[in-house]
Amino acid sequence: MKRFIGFSLVLLVTVCCLASCNFWTNTSGSSADNTEANQKVEEMITALAENRLADAKALMHPQKADNIDASLAQMSEFLDGRKANTIEATHVSVNSSAGTAGKTRQETISYKVTLSDSDVIYISVVYLSNNDGAGFISFQLVLGIV
């Protein structure tokens, strides 16, 4: 009887440990060359500058694709045909996790962007890849002092 109880407890602890597996990594200050968002930022700026709001909306994550039309139109109006001459990553943070719920990768990146008329703006993005899809969950033009 003691062996059965001991075996049951060991089995219970093992099952609990395996059922809650979640492995995550956090990489801060790494290179933007290894990020999925790097190319997508340029595509988003170009789509907004050319007032292709449907293309810009397609770059958003499926969970954020609703109720963003006004925000995309506002950013498109601000860019008004000005495209990006240079895009330089200033801060990169990548969080990855893999567990029983699937794989998730979230990239938080800040960019310094020089537009075609030599104006400088900053862009802050959060790019999410998970079971639901991939895309921006946040895309912000930052004006002012950074």
Side-chain angles (χ1 to χ4, degrees):
M1 185 69 174
K2 289 182 185 179
R3 286 185 188 169
F4 177 74
I5 293 173
F7 177 75
S8 297
L9 288 175
V10 169
L11 184 62
L12 180 66
V13 169
T14 304
V15 168
C16 289
C17 288
L18 293 177
S20 63
C21 288
N22 193 17
F23 303 103
W24 58 272
T25 59
N26 182 4
T27 309
S28 188
S30 64
S31 172
D33 297 336
N34 299 330
T35 63
E36 295 176 43
N38 210 24
Q39 180 184 3
K40 301 295 183 184
V41 167
E42 187 173 352
E43 290 177 31
M44 178 68 96
I45 293 171
T46 302
L48 291 171
E50 295 174 353
N51 202 25
R52 293 183 287 121
L53 299 182
D55 293 342
K57 189 173 183 176
L59 292 169
M60 298 299 292
H61 193 273
Q63 75 185 53
K64 285 291 187 176
D66 296 333
N67 301 323
I68 60 167
D69 295 331
S71 299
L72 292 175
Q74 185 179 27
M75 288 187 283
S76 179
E77 185 179 320
F78 173 76
L79 290 174
D80 193 31
R82 300 179 295 173
K83 296 184 181 178
N85 280 349
T86 61
I87 301 174
E88 175 188 344
T90 58
H91 176 75
V92 178
S93 176
V94 179
N95 295 314
S96 298
S97 67
T100 56
K103 292 182 179 180
T104 301
R105 179 180 170 98
Q106 181 172 315
E107 303 169 354
T108 305
I109 308 172
S110 298
Y111 294 94
K112 178 181 177 182
V113 179
T114 305
L115 299 175
S116 56
D117 65 351
S118 299
D119 280 353
V120 175
I121 62 170
Y122 292 86
I123 296 178
S124 178
V125 303
V126 178
Y127 191 86
L128 178 64
S129 299
N130 61 12
N131 293 342
D132 295 334
F136 295 106
I137 58 171
S138 174
F139 190 93
Q140 299 175 340
L141 299 181
V142 182
L143 305 174
I145 299 172
V146 178

